[in-house]
Amino acid sequence: MEIVYVYVKKRSEFGKPCNFSDRQAELNINIPPNPELAEQFVERNPVDTGIQCSTSMSEHEVNTERFEMETRGINHVEGGWPKDVNPLELEQTIRFRKKVEKDENYINTITQLGSIMEHCIKQNNAIDIYQEYFDDEDAVEVTDEAPSAKTINVLRDPQVIKRSATHLSWHPDGNRKLAVAYSCLNFQRAPEGMSHESYIWDLENPNKPEIVLKPSSPLVTLEYNPKDSHVLLGGCYNGQLACWDTRKGSLVAELSTVEFSHRDPVYGSIWLQSKTGTECFSASTDGQVMWWDIRKMSEPTEVVILDIARKEQLENALGAISLEFESTLPTKFMVGTEQGIVISCNRKAKTSAEKIVCTFSGHHGPIYALQRNPFYPKNFLTVGDWTARIWSEDSRESSIMWTKYHMAYLTDGAWSPVRPAVFFTTRMDGTLDIWDFVFKQCDPALSLKVCDEALFCLRVQDNGCFIACGSQLGTTTLLEVSNGLCTLQKNEKNTASLIFERETRREKILEARHREMRLKEKGKAEGRDDSLREEEPTFHLEELVTKAEDEFFNIIYSELKKKETEAMKKTKPKQPGLEADEEVEGEDLGEEEGDGAQAPT
Amino acid sequence: MAEVEETLKRIQSHKGVMGTMVVNAEGIPIRTTLDNSTTVQYAGLLHQLTMKAKSTVRDIDPQNDLTFLRIRSKKHEIMVAPDKEYLLIVIQNPCE
């Protein structure tokens, strides 16, 4: 029902000065109550209401607007000297000093101050007045504080057309800089005029990026060289690999040739441990993993095709979406694919077919993150579809531990470098979860909503305290976690390894059981002898059932009889009551018998 | 004049004393046993601190006045004896 009040004015009267006057109130609309509507409501009596007798308070948050800061230096010059004395002239200063020293006031003052000073000096020498008496008692470190994390800094993409932050890399020394790769991952939906630039931010200055990297195609991944902190490797959206030296400027130092690069965006690029510190490898959804030496980027040094049928057919190859390499296991590496399979490979295998060692399948969608546990490299974390899973290399059929299915897709995950039982995951609804499975297994220990848009990537700093997460609009948020989550708890290593072993054992037992069952089924499916053998057991089954029934009823009847005789012997007057009880019992038993007769059939 | 010399020499000779300086009300070092740049730095900073400490004490109780200021740090102890016009600063390393 729309209530409309029309106000009319002649066009010729527009612009005339207003002449206000009073008038009576006019009733425009009168809506009387409709008693029929009252029928639709039920009177509730009594009604519970909570009342609190205390001051009501409200909470407000205020945030100042961001203001730009700039660092400038100031040059100090010695001053305080009287106008006629030039502080740089040694003669003048000496003359001035001598003049002061001749002053009588000076002599008296100094003598007096001197005696006070001597007193204190002697005091210091006599006894340490600030001695700690209870040094021996170590403060018991009971961190009972709830896990928490707070945002320290937010780095926003200065471009007008926002791109997602797809990859983050911390500076290898000192962790004061963060390299962020920006690109638009929506297929062919990159807006016109979107900048290809990626930035290196200095955390001291969150308003402006420190260094700008200018590739020819937006960067999907970006990694600092752990050996040489001036060199960065970037994987481009068009499949090329680019290398920068920050000393040389923002243009690309080395670029791989288009013909020999990947055909799809490079989703994973990692530096390798080598003596020269110039080797790296990359993976892409075109199904290839390529090794490069940055000194000669025209051709990859090696190419592996991810065909799990081991036939090296590019058409059958699985697209790689994440790459994993641990420097403590230099010959092995793992690839997470779009099809939800993790492929474990050995670089040193003789033939290319043998390079693929084994596969782990279990995810329903692309595996966006793959990382070995820094303390127990046999176990690794995969993040994909709506869960995060922890695997053990020994158990190939399924993961040993997994989280529940979340409401939003999981986009990235990482282990904490200081605590073996802690890992972080980010979700499409902008939440960062911190899991601690020695503390709580079903839910994350801490779940934080970082921003309203989806979070795409996550990187933990080497000290385990700071986490950077990048979002869909290019905003990188820097968080600091509470002390409890970044200091190793006592006994945690043991507990974590026990948990891993226990879960691995459980999975092994389940695997063995599944294998048995499968063998049995195979056996059953073969031949007619088996079908005959199947009938015999059922025959036996029916006989056994009737036998069991008979025995059951016999036992019950004998027990009943026993009870009746006993009851009769005890007291005569109570007989009728007891008999009534017996009857009730008998009825119950009869019901039981009825049920018992139904069960086997 | 000789007394001043004697006093300062005596102070300097105590165990653990690293440096002694006399600074006037404008922050100009009159006598010092340390090098110039260190002296100028100490003079400027401690002068301001002493003024602040003095005003604090006076604020709390106008009848009161600052007699001595001791700053104990991890490495050494800085002792400041203030006066209306001059400041005597001694840096000592209390040996334990």
Side-chain angles (χ1 to χ4, degrees), chain A residues 120-167:
Chain A
C120 290
I121 293 178
K122 284 181 189 162
Q123 230 179 29
N124 269 345
N125 284 334
I127 186 170
D128 180 11
I129 60 180
Y130 300 104
Q131 185 187 10
E132 292 281 336
Y133 292 115
F134 302 107
D135 239 344
D136 308 339
E137 283 178 32
D138 283 322
V140 181
E141 295 229 21
V142 181
T143 41
D144 273 341
E145 46 163 301
S148 65
K150 58 177 196 255
T151 313
I152 315 178
N153 227 333
V154 175
L155 308 168
R156 280 178 228 278
D157 185 5
Q159 297 288 328
V160 175
I161 302 176
K162 301 283 178 200
R163 310 144 303 160
S164 343
T166 48
H167 204 88

Side-chain angles (χ1 to χ4, degrees), chain A residues 348-595:
Chain A
K348 293 288 178 218
K350 302 230 171 57
T351 65
S352 303
E354 278 176 28
K355 288 225 158 99
I356 296 175
V357 173
C358 60
T359 62
F360 300 86
S361 52
H363 274 286
H364 307 293
I367 298 181
Y368 285 111
L370 177 56
Q371 195 190 5
R372 285 190 198 259
N373 187 325
F375 291 82
Y376 300 103
K378 272 198 147 185
N379 299 297
F380 56 95
L381 170 74
T382 58
V383 167
D385 61 58
W386 300 272
T387 59
R389 288 172 189 267
I390 299 180
W391 304 73
S392 160
E393 279 188 349
D394 305 324
S395 146
R396 302 217 177 145
E397 287 200 3
S398 80
S399 50
I400 59 173
M401 292 158 72
W402 55 91
T403 66
K404 60 172 192 238
Y405 281 88
H406 294 276
M407 298 301 288
Y409 227 73
L410 260 68
T411 48
D412 201 356
W415 288 102
S416 161
V418 285
R419 287 192 58 187
V422 172
F423 63 93
F424 308 90
T425 53
T426 54
R427 285 196 254 160
M428 287 289 274
D429 60 2
T431 321
L432 170 75
D433 291 324
I434 306 180
W435 299 79
D436 180 0
F437 53 77
V438 295
F439 173 62
K440 216 200 286 191
Q441 284 84 32
C442 323
D443 284 316
L446 183 61
S447 196
L448 279 170
K449 189 140 199 335
V450 173
C451 53
D452 289 326
E453 62 268 11
L455 282 176
F456 268 122
C457 58
L458 163 75
R459 202 60 184 258
V460 189
Q461 208 194 53
D462 290 330
N463 61 9
C465 275
F466 293 103
I467 312 172
C469 17
S471 78
Q472 200 172 15
L473 294 178
T475 315
T476 307
T477 316
L478 212 64
L479 295 123
E480 182 181 354
V481 280
S482 60
N483 238 345
L485 288 169
C486 58
T487 41
L488 192 62
Q489 309 284 335
K490 43 181 180 194
N491 234 5
E492 187 182 334
K493 272 197 186 170
N494 276 344
T495 321
S497 76
L498 283 174
I499 292 182
F500 284 139
E501 276 171 37
R502 186 186 67 210
E503 298 299 325
T504 319
R505 232 186 359 246
R506 177 182 60 93
E507 280 302 319
K508 284 222 183 97
I509 293 173
L510 283 174
E511 242 179 88
R513 186 95 177 82
H514 281 147
R515 226 176 297 149
E516 266 179 43
M517 282 172 45
R518 257 181 278 148
L519 283 173
K520 247 196 216 167
E521 286 199 15
K522 262 198 211 163
K524 278 189 185 171
E526 289 165 8
R528 290 169 58 206
D529 294 332
D530 293 328
S531 64
L532 277 176
R533 262 183 248 138
E534 270 179 39
E535 279 174 32
E536 282 184 340
T538 49
F539 223 175
H540 282 288
L541 203 59
E542 282 181 22
E543 276 185 26
L544 285 170
V545 164
T546 39
K547 227 171 65 171
E549 269 188 48
D550 292 333
E551 275 184 40
F552 177 68
F553 291 144
N554 289 340
I555 293 172
I556 292 199
Y557 285 143
S558 53
E559 284 291 317
L560 259 177
K561 290 242 170 63
K562 244 197 261 176
K563 274 206 177 153
E564 279 176 25
T565 43
E566 275 179 25
M568 284 179 137
K569 280 184 200 162
K570 272 188 183 167
T571 40
K572 284 233 165 169
K574 277 194 182 172
Q575 250 185 36
L578 277 169
E579 270 176 357
D581 286 351
E582 304 289 10
E583 279 174 26
V584 174
E585 274 185 41
E587 277 172 27
D588 287 349
L589 288 169
E591 281 174 18
E592 278 179 23
E593 286 169 26
D595 289 346

Side-chain angles (χ1 to χ4, degrees), chain A residues 97 101 118 123-124 128, chain B residues 10 29 31 70 72 92:
Chain A
R97 285 195 176 110
E101 283 177 356
E118 270 201 84
Q123 230 179 29
N124 269 345
D128 180 11
Chain B
R10 212 177 43 234
R31 276 295 283 274
R70 262 175 143 155
R72 179 82 158 215
Q92 187 190 23

